[in-house]
Amino acid sequence: MVDLILFNIGQLVTSKELDSSKKMDNIEVLENAYVVIEKDKIVAVGTGEVPKKYFNPQVEMVDLSGKLVTPGLIDSHTHLVHGGSRENEFAMKIEGVPYLEILAKGGGILSSLKATRNASHKELIDKTLRSLKYMLELGVTTVEAKSGYGLDFENEIKQMEVVKILEHLQPVSLVSTFMGAHAVPVEYKENREAYIQLVIDMLPEVRKRNLAEFCDIFCEDKVFSVEESRRILTAAKENGFKLKIHADEIVSLGGVELAAELGAVSAEHLMKITDSGINALANSSVIADLLPATSFNLMEHYAPARKMIEAGIQIALSTDYNPGSCPSENLQFVMQIGAAHLKMTPKEVFKAVTINAAKAIDRHHEIGSIEVGKKADISVFDAPNMSYFLYHFGVNHTNRVYKNGKLVFKR
């Protein structure tokens, strides 16, 4: 028995890939469309009149004339769970105070580390629930969440436990990533080898407790070298984790090439990617997860998205929501920056936050496109088409959101 029919859809971005190429614009877009849902699954997609065979006395019919309908948006890179905030550093940033000077005053990641360690499970849950509510209202139905603000066994575990608890307290699906290798904490400043070993030693326990499915690392100058990253990620892979890597954000060390070498699911940031890195990604299945709101906030240059697209690289876009470099949960704004500053077309932008974002968290077999058999995660926007959504920036376009076939938000 069909439960829900969305019909008269103005423009339906199914995000169904029309061929097996790596093109960023090869997704299906339908006019005057319908979607038929039974329980939590999509059972039919088409255009024109809804076939009579789907009608029954109990079915809910929703007329979406003039609306833009897409798969539920996916935010595939966030540092969702953290304590505190860092607005006290904002004036210093505007004045051009270097990050290392802010760090020396106890700011930067050290401030977030202290606040996260001092926060209880309940305080972190309450704070993160507010963010997830806002994300849902923006049309986001799945969010990746990294640890990395505990940087010791107890507090890294605490962050990931909070993610697991939040799965049961609100409708947005969460994908957990262990990122103990986000930085070397102060207490290990003189013995980084001991901290690297601690991260490696944590891996079996994180897997045993089923707290994360991905492992990420910040491969960057003065953070973790390529060899240190290879060591930690190789250990993670041996413990059954899928791999992600923060790479080429500030300088290019070779982290992108390492992602390709180890078969990582995604390489993230990539503002300083080189031709060598582009070539490595183009010859791999690694998703390039770009974070343009971070560049916007830091007033730094953007990742060369067009060059990557022309090379055949699959791109995702996400917020990088975190208390320092991008304190914003707004994926719609990220999409608009993607169009205006990364020069991505509407199809490319929407693919980047739907099916490619699903690939970046290894969920593309069940979400990320509106196709028969996939979960009915669907977002409806008060926009007639993709171009209007991106052109009319700085507002929330969301009209309603369905998660697993159930209405979970309505304006």
Side-chain angles (χ1 to χ4, degrees):
M1 292 284 285
V2 170
D3 301 294
L4 174 67
I5 297 176
L6 310 177
F7 70 104
N8 281 348
I9 296 167
Q11 188 174 79
L12 176 65
V13 181
T14 74
S15 290
K16 175 184 178 182
E17 292 182 296
L18 297 173
D19 53 53
S20 59
S21 72
K22 287 187 173 183
K23 292 180 180 178
M24 280 293 295
D25 61 356
N26 65 336
I27 56 169
E28 181 182 60
V29 179
L30 303 174
E31 311 285 336
N32 185 28
Y34 64 82
V35 180
V36 182
I37 297 161
E38 183 178 342
K39 295 181 181 176
D40 65 339
K41 294 289 197 306
I42 297 163
V43 296
V45 182
T47 57
E49 295 293 322
V50 181
K52 297 281 194 293
K53 66 180 180 179
Y54 295 117
F55 294 167
N56 67 71
Q58 283 75 45
V59 69
E60 180 184 0
M61 305 286 293
V62 181
D63 187 335
L64 296 178
S65 302
K67 306 294 187 194
L68 173 68
V69 176
T70 77
L73 305 184
I74 298 167
D75 196 343
S76 53
H77 176 131
T78 82
H79 300 263
L80 182 69
V81 179
H82 57 263
S85 58
R86 281 152 53 182
E87 71 276 6
N88 58 309
E89 299 171 14
F90 191 52
M92 287 189 283
K93 285 185 178 179
I94 293 170
E95 291 165 7
V97 177
Y99 175 74
L100 290 179
E101 188 176 326
I102 295 172
L103 195 68
K105 296 177 179 178
I109 193 173
L110 296 180
S111 171
S112 297
L113 176 68
K114 182 179 178 181
T116 303
R117 287 181 175 181
N118 289 338
S120 66
H121 280 74
K122 184 179 186 306
E123 288 168 334
L124 292 174
I125 288 166
D126 289 346
K127 183 178 189 298
T128 310
L129 275 173
R130 291 193 293 272
S131 290
L132 287 168
K133 180 176 182 291
Y134 184 50
M135 289 170 153
L136 179 66
E137 291 172 359
L138 289 161
V140 175
T141 54
T142 302
V143 172
E144 184 260 10
K146 304 179 193 295
S147 68
Y149 286 113
L151 303 187
D152 62 18
F153 182 84
E154 176 187 353
N155 290 289
E156 286 293 303
I157 293 293
K158 179 174 69 177
Q159 280 187 273
M160 290 180 283
E161 285 176 341
V162 166
V163 172
K164 198 162 189 176
I165 292 166
L166 285 165
E167 273 276 1
H168 304 286
L169 298 182
Q170 50 76 53
V172 176
S173 294
L174 300 177
V175 177
S176 181
T177 297
F178 170 51
M179 197 176 176
H182 194 189
V184 176
V186 172
E187 58 266 34
Y188 286 91
K189 187 177 180 181
E190 304 304 322
N191 191 1
R192 62 185 294 111
E193 172 59 30
Y195 186 69
I196 290 168
Q197 190 58 51
L198 175 63
V199 172
I200 291 171
D201 290 344
M202 285 182 65
L203 290 164
E205 189 63 24
V206 174
R207 287 298 290 166
K208 179 182 173 184
R209 300 189 191 195
N210 194 29
L211 290 176
E213 87 183 73
F214 288 92
C215 180
D216 199 345
I217 188 167
F218 192 8
C219 181
E220 186 56 73
D221 186 36
K222 297 183 175 64
V223 190
F224 292 98
S225 70
V226 171
E227 286 310 311
E228 289 168 341
S229 299
R230 178 182 284 106
R231 183 176 162 196
I232 291 171
L233 291 178
T234 298
K237 196 170 185 178
E238 289 170 353
N239 278 277
F241 288 89
K242 300 169 211 173
L243 308 183
K244 292 178 170 288
I245 186 167
H246 282 52
D248 291 13
E249 178 180 2
I250 302 167
V251 299
S252 178
L253 291 184
V256 170
E257 290 87 344
L258 179 64
E261 174 193 326
L262 295 179
V265 174
S266 62
E268 323 201 338
H269 279 293
L270 313 186
M271 284 103 85
K272 296 293 179 69
I273 193 169
T274 62
D275 288 345
S276 169
I278 288 174
N279 185 59
L281 290 190
N283 290 292
S284 76
S285 59
V286 179
I287 300 294
D289 203 339
L290 308 186
L291 318 169
T294 301
S295 298
F296 173 86
N297 186 51
L298 295 177
M299 294 168 278
E300 298 281 353
H301 74 277
Y302 294 91
R306 285 253 57 89
K307 192 172 183 180
M308 286 190 264
I309 290 168
E310 287 158 12
I313 294 169
Q314 292 282 288
I315 287 175
L317 293 174
S318 48
T319 61
D320 190 26
Y321 170 56
N322 72 78
S325 59
C326 192
S328 174
E329 302 95 329
N330 195 332
L331 188 59
Q332 290 191 26
F333 183 53
V334 168
M335 295 166 69
Q336 290 152 358
I337 299 174
H341 293 281
L342 301 188
K343 308 303 179 187
M344 294 173 68
T345 67
K347 279 188 176 181
E348 290 169 347
V349 168
F350 276 88
K351 184 176 184 183
V353 295
T354 54
I355 190 62
N356 277 6
K359 291 176 184 177
I361 54 171
D362 197 29
R363 293 288 193 279
H364 52 290
H365 299 298
E366 57 185 40
I367 59 172
S369 59
I370 297 176
E371 298 185 66
V372 172
K374 286 197 172 182
K375 288 188 176 180
D377 289 5
I378 295 172
S379 294
V380 180
F381 300 106
D382 285 318
N385 51 58
M386 292 181 290
S387 293
Y388 183 88
F389 179 104
L390 299 171
Y391 144 84
H392 189 179
F393 69 93
V395 299
N396 183 2
H397 289 289
T398 311
N399 175 274
R400 63 185 71 196
V401 180
Y402 294 91
K403 178 67 181 177
N404 292 323
K406 303 295 182 186
L407 183 66
V408 290
F409 172 75
K410 183 178 179 181
R411 185 176 299 284

